[in-house]
Amino acid sequence: MLEAVLLVGGQGTRLRPLTVTTPKPMLPVAGVPCTEHQIARARAAGVTRVVLGTSYKPEVFVEHFGDGSRYGVELVYVTEEVPLGTGGAIRHVAPHLQSGPDDPVLVFNGDVLSGHDIAGQVERWRTSGSDVSLYLTKVEDPRAYGLVPTDAEARVQAFLEKPATLADCVTDQINAGCYVFRRSVIDAIPSGRPVSVERETFPALLAAGATVTGFVDDGYWLDLGTPLAFVQGSRDLVLGLAPSPVLAGRTGDALVIPGAEVAWDATLSGGTFVGAGATVGSRAVVTGSTLFEGAVVAAGAVVRDSAVGHGAIIGSGAVLEGVVVGDRAVVGPGNELVRGARVWPGVALGDTAVRFSSDR
Ligand code: GDD
Ligand code: MG
């Protein structure tokens, strides 16, 4: 038996307005929650039991996954009354783990899409005799992440979470958010108070001389921390750049869920996802974007690298580029919204949808 813990309790503040109603790991990426992609990949790597460490909106996970049997794993939910931080959440699920003291336990950040070799990571943890082994990836600008310099033997030398200045960026290797812990190391994390695994647990293990290793895997990696990263993740899944067993055999230029209505002369490309019941009107152009369930893109509208929320309406001739439109919001005909704009759920901009509905 191989167990995995998924940390899914964060509020996802930077992803608002998408996370106003849905916790970040449950936002559909290419139509399927990030958590589901992760469970499918973990299962393919031999994981049979998954413990979800929840805090924000735990009921959304339970409603979707139930006991896990549909996903081929045993699922256990453990909810923090108040958020305990990443390390506190790992410690909080400890009483619910079944692994023995020297067994490996996988821990995943719940907002990461990755193509890394999970089974290989467990194997390297074993062969290196590690207490904890970290999956690392290389990024151009590491400042938003945990920096993890390693020596020639893959031993971690320091853990520098979100360094303040570029001068502190001693490496481009970052913590990619998947760990293998020796079970007994989890039990030794202090309980009953907030703990950051990045700022407290890892530095303390290093100071105590524990064997902490880090291995760079150059497979696909993306932190879904911002709305535009979320749009990118969806696009990469549809294009097949981000591997997920959930989408096997369905990747391509666009993925249209049955029940969506796309005009014959509309153009969908660049990894566009069209959710169930969504509508794309005549001559509309949708590139690299995600249309949630029931979203409407009216005739002649252009939507690039954007997310359009549940039931939101983009009026005819409107142009969106790098924009997030909240659930049931309305962008009136002819509006132009550019990179970084976010329209809050229910907000109506400009003219309403009356004109487009006859255009459709
Ligand atoms: N249960 C629980 N309780 N989960 C939590 C809590 C909590 O109090 N706080 C955060 N989480 C979950 C989040 O839901 C997310 O899935 C994961 O822990 C990581 O938290 P983020 O808030 O997304 O952290 P980050 O992206 O700023 O940084 C982390 O991830 C980077 C890689 O994506 C760190 O681990 C960095 O070191 C790392 O580089
Ligand atoms: Mg994150």
Side-chain angles (χ1 to χ4, degrees):
M1 184 211 45
L2 181 57
E3 285 184 303
V5 177
L6 263 58
L7 301 175
V8 293
Q11 286 221 11
T13 321
R14 284 177 302 160
L15 262 171
R16 284 184 305 182
L18 299 175
T19 46
V20 173
T21 47
T22 309
K24 171 167 65 168
M26 285 303 285
L27 280 177
V29 209
V32 173
C34 181
T35 303
E36 189 174 332
H37 292 294
Q38 289 188 313
I39 290 174
R41 291 202 73 248
R43 177 176 182 247
V47 169
T48 52
R49 193 165 186 274
V50 174
V51 183
L52 289 184
T54 67
S55 173
Y56 180 62
K57 298 193 184 295
E59 67 285 355
V60 180
F61 295 89
V62 182
E63 279 160 23
H64 185 89
F65 291 110
D67 65 0
S69 50
R70 274 204 298 141
Y71 306 90
V73 293
E74 180 191 350
L75 259 186
V76 181
Y77 302 90
V78 184
T79 302
E80 297 142 51
E81 302 252 314
V82 287
L84 291 172
T86 46
I90 299 170
R91 177 63 182 88
H92 188 245
V93 306
H96 303 269
L97 296 172
Q98 293 180 348
S99 301
D102 287 324
D103 289 340
V105 176
L106 277 157
V107 177
F108 291 85
N109 281 353
D111 61 341
V112 169
L113 278 183
S114 98
H116 87 286
D117 177 7
I118 300 171
Q121 187 185 357
V122 177
E123 194 45 37
R124 279 192 296 269
W125 168 86
R126 208 183 298 278
T127 52
S128 60
S130 298
D131 295 304
V132 182
S133 189
L134 284 71
Y135 157 37
L136 309 179
T137 192
K138 291 184 184 238
V139 293
E140 246 168 53
D141 182 357
R143 279 175 294 179
Y145 306 105
L147 271 60
V148 188
T150 49
D151 68 13
E153 273 78 54
R155 292 278 297 245
V156 172
Q157 294 171 307
F159 197 106
L160 309 157
E161 181 68 11
K162 304 197 175 80
T165 65
L166 262 183
D168 295 328
C169 292
V170 294
T171 175
D172 59 354
Q173 289 180 185
I174 61 140
N175 167 24
C178 177
Y179 323 121
V180 183
F181 271 79
R182 184 187 304 285
R183 175 4 205 313
S184 57
V185 175
I186 292 178
D187 294 327
I189 297 173
S191 65
R193 66 166 172 87
V195 178
S196 160
V197 77
E198 298 89 351
R199 296 179 196 276
E200 183 176 340
T201 310
F202 291 142
L205 285 167
L206 292 174
T211 306
V212 182
T213 52
F215 297 94
V216 176
D217 183 308
D218 54 15
Y220 182 90
W221 184 84
L222 184 69
D223 174 305
L224 298 170
T226 62
L228 293 183
F230 170 82
V231 173
Q232 186 188 335
S234 186
R235 176 165 70 222
D236 291 345
L237 280 163
V238 172
L239 291 171
L241 301 173
S244 168
V246 183
L247 293 186
R250 294 197 292 155
T251 55
D253 230 20
L255 177 56
V256 179
I257 297 304
E261 211 181 296
V262 179
W264 68 270
D265 55 351
T267 310
L268 306 180
S269 65
T272 287
F273 174 82
V274 182
T279 308
V280 182
S282 179
R283 298 179 322 283
V285 176
V286 186
T287 311
S289 297
T290 293
L291 310 183
F292 284 77
E293 285 178 24
V296 176
V297 175
V302 176
V303 178
R304 288 198 193 96
D305 301 334
S306 299
V308 181
H310 294 262
I313 296 171
I314 310 304
S316 53
V319 178
L320 269 56
E321 187 150 354
V323 169
V324 176
V325 179
D327 294 348
R328 292 171 308 283
V330 178
V331 176
N335 270 291
E336 280 188 32
L337 299 179
V338 292
R339 203 166 172 78
R342 301 186 196 188
V343 182
W344 236 244
V347 166
L349 288 184
D351 202 355
T352 53
V354 183
R355 171 143 49 111
F356 104 83
S357 52
S358 53
D359 281 0
R360 206 167 100 199

